[in-house]
Amino acid sequence: GNSVTQMEGPVTLSEEAFLTINCTYTATGYPSLFWYVQYPGEGLQLLLKATKADDKGSNKGFEATYRKETTSFHLEKGSVQVSDSAVYFCALIRGSTLGRLYFGRGTQLTVWP
Amino acid sequence: NAGVTQNPKFQVLKTGQSMTLQCAQDMNHNSMYWYRQDPGMGLRLIYYSASEGTTDKGEVPNGYNVSRLNKREFSLRLESAAPSQTSVYFCASSEEPDSYNEQFFGPGTRLTVL
């Protein structure tokens, strides 16, 4: 079946530290991969996406590369800010599942000044 | 342009009561979705509507019903609420039900069933 596994949190970093949140997936065929972010008390927002192997999604200093050989889509940022504190969700869609997103469990990130 | 709106934001029910969660989008999207979010579980799909006039079960449909009232609105009904349905409910929409279109999420409804 289709599933997403994320590194468990919470992750606590100091401002300007390097961030990596690991994400691996299981799916047949060629899924599209997403990172969503949820700020406190809000709904989810799309952070970045990649729709085919070797694509790199990027937004707001965050990056993730679709690695089919390792079935991974790790989220990275070179220098985090306090405003990046949120919950981050990795997710996938396969074209045959009519838009159904499969989510990982989420990783809580807290950045201290 | 409000995006995806949900009502109510908060609700407390007693076991056995019924209620309907409302969702509307103003982006002219064809597809709409209902998810629930539980601690440590990520989001799980309850029901979805790939296009106006169609609805289908997702991963956790038991205890819920949905209505795609028109292209804009997609409601979720709990006929007889149970404590296991205590959760945060998110509605989402996308232009098409495929792997290329972003899903836009509403702000959520926090439901507590006593």
Side-chain angles (χ1 to χ4, degrees):
Chain A
N2 302 305
S3 66
V4 174
T5 302
Q6 279 182 247
M7 67 182 278
E8 297 204 4
V11 174
T12 303
L13 295 172
S14 298
E15 209 164 24
E16 299 184 4
F18 183 85
L19 169 70
T20 300
I21 301 177
N22 290 337
C23 171
T24 58
Y25 69 89
T26 300
T28 56
Y30 301 94
S32 293
L33 302 174
F34 303 81
W35 276 100
Y36 278 84
V37 58
Q38 184 179 30
Y39 298 103
E42 298 184 10
L44 280 70
Q45 304 173 25
L46 179 67
L47 181 60
L48 53 85
K49 70 177 184 181
T51 58
K52 61 183 187 295
D54 299 325
D55 268 2
K56 178 185 282 188
S58 61
N59 186 26
K60 299 181 181 179
F62 291 90
E63 294 183 338
T65 301
Y66 187 162
R67 302 285 189 199
K68 187 161 179 62
E69 64 276 12
T70 55
T71 61
S72 65
F73 192 55
H74 304 322
L75 182 68
E76 296 181 337
K77 187 175 185 182
S79 177
V80 294
Q81 306 300 312
V82 172
S83 57
D84 294 327
S85 297
V87 181
Y88 293 81
F89 292 93
C90 186
L92 70 82
I93 290 180
R94 286 189 55 230
S96 61
T97 56
L98 291 177
R100 175 185 166 180
L101 276 164
Y102 293 82
F103 283 91
R105 295 189 172 192
T107 302
Q108 173 75 56
L109 170 66
T110 301
V111 180
W112 296 100
Chain B
N1 194 343
V4 180
T5 56
Q6 293 184 237
N7 285 294
K9 290 186 70 75
F10 302 94
Q11 183 71 49
V12 178
L13 293 178
K14 294 181 179 177
T15 298
Q17 287 185 316
S18 62
M19 79 162 295
T20 300
L21 281 65
Q22 310 285 354
C23 173
Q25 51 91 9
D26 62 2
M27 296 175 281
N28 201 36
H29 285 170
N30 287 307
S31 304
M32 299 184 73
Y33 311 85
W34 276 106
Y35 294 88
R36 59 177 287 173
Q37 183 182 28
D38 301 297
M41 296 289 293
L43 277 75
R44 292 180 292 169
L45 184 67
I46 305 170
Y47 270 93
Y48 64 100
S49 171
S51 61
E52 186 179 358
T54 69
T55 60
D56 286 285
K57 295 178 180 179
E59 182 182 359
V60 288
N62 291 345
Y64 305 95
N65 284 299
V66 291
S67 296
R68 183 77 182 264
L69 304 170
N70 48 54
K71 191 171 185 179
R72 290 188 62 248
E73 298 172 288
F74 188 40
S75 63
L76 179 72
R77 182 160 180 84
L78 287 69
E79 290 291 352
S80 179
S84 60
Q85 295 177 304
T86 294
S87 188
V88 182
Y89 292 85
F90 289 100
C91 178
S93 71
S94 65
E95 192 169 338
E96 296 294 342
D98 60 29
S99 59
Y100 300 100
N101 282 274
E102 173 187 354
Q103 290 187 18
F104 293 82
F105 285 79
T109 295
R110 186 174 294 274
L111 174 66
T112 301
V113 183
L114 302 175

